[in-house]
Amino acid sequence: MQDIADRAGLNKQLIAYHFGGEEGLWNELSRLWVHQEETFNQPDTPLEKVLVR
């Protein structure tokens, strides 16, 4: 989390407060990944195209 805070120019505690700690941050990132994946990973899309996307 410190690396994220450093790159964002924020305080680590601010990120922890906003997301409710490391687990909250992980849960939000996982939720965003699933949402993003739905935009490019369709059942009829060949694996090669999914990997490129």
Side-chain angles (χ1 to χ4, degrees), residues 1 4 15 18-36:
M1 196 173 333
I4 294 169
I15 295 172
H18 182 77
F19 291 103
E22 289 182 6
E23 185 175 350
L25 177 59
W26 175 257
N27 290 338
E28 181 63 14
L29 290 172
S30 297
R31 186 188 70 77
L32 289 172
W33 169 253
V34 168
H35 176 73
Q36 185 67 19

Side-chain angles (χ1 to χ4, degrees), residues 2-51:
Q2 186 63 55
D3 289 341
I4 294 169
D6 291 344
R7 291 184 75 184
L10 300 171
N11 184 304
K12 179 180 168 181
Q13 286 77 21
L14 181 61
I15 295 172
Y17 175 78
H18 182 77
F19 291 103
E22 289 182 6
E23 185 175 350
L25 177 59
W26 175 257
N27 290 338
E28 181 63 14
L29 290 172
S30 297
R31 186 188 70 77
L32 289 172
W33 169 253
V34 168
H35 176 73
Q36 185 67 19
E37 183 184 27
E38 290 171 350
T39 66
F40 64 81
N41 188 8
Q42 301 299 318
D44 60 339
T45 305
L47 178 60
E48 295 81 19
K49 288 192 178 194
V50 171
L51 295 173

